[in-house]
Amino acid sequence: VNADSLVSCRISDADIAKVQQYYRGHSGDPFKWMPFNTTPDQWEESGVQPVKYDPYTQSNGRDGDEAVLEFVTDQWEEALTPCVDAVAALDKDDNAYVEKLMQPYVLNEGRGSLFDGTYLAMQLLHWYKFMGSPLVKGLLVAAEG
């Protein structure tokens, strides 16, 4: 992927881990978070339980996940500021915006990557060979030879 075609936000592993420790969701109930006005030290001491912040519901006129978004924004604001500034600069400069849009998404026209189709074609070819398909008997000899 061509990094020049994107505006990338760099958030440190430590900052990501800080937010992840509050998440308590799982596949059956994915929207549970520890209360954001508490700290990890308080959770075991006082028996604090996770709270559900469902993005698909509203209560008191607020989106269900608004508290999560506020918490994450507060935690990552410093790391996200350069990224937001870069987007704002592109928004103000039409030439820079067009230049960013015109950058190729993949380098070298995708050759040698998952984007050039070779990987998929070779995997299909191997699958047909594995299944004993008569469609690829002659083709496989040429491809492997």
Side-chain angles (χ1 to χ4, degrees), residues 33-110:
W33 293 78
M34 295 305 283
F36 302 125
N37 60 349
T38 63
T39 64
D41 297 336
Q42 297 171 325
W43 298 341
E44 285 190 36
E45 293 173 7
S46 60
V48 175
Q49 295 297 309
V51 176
K52 187 170 189 165
Y53 295 105
D54 189 340
Y56 302 109
T57 62
Q58 291 186 343
S59 61
N60 299 330
R62 295 174 52 136
D63 290 336
D65 62 348
E66 191 171 308
V68 175
L69 296 173
E70 289 173 10
F71 173 71
V72 172
T73 300
D74 183 54
Q75 296 298 311
W76 292 347
E77 183 174 12
E78 187 176 323
L80 289 173
T81 298
C83 181
V84 171
D85 291 345
V87 170
L90 285 173
D91 188 47
K92 292 176 184 171
D93 185 346
D94 289 344
N95 291 331
Y97 178 68
V98 169
E99 186 176 322
K100 180 70 76 178
L101 287 178
M102 297 307 292
Q103 290 287 326
Y105 182 69
V106 293
L107 296 173
N108 303 318
E109 298 172 0

Side-chain angles (χ1 to χ4, degrees), residues 2-11 79-80 82-84 86-87 100:
N2 180 5
D4 290 335
S5 69
L6 308 168
V7 173
S8 299
C9 300
R10 303 201 191 299
I11 301 173
L80 289 173
C83 181
V84 171
V87 170
K100 180 70 76 178

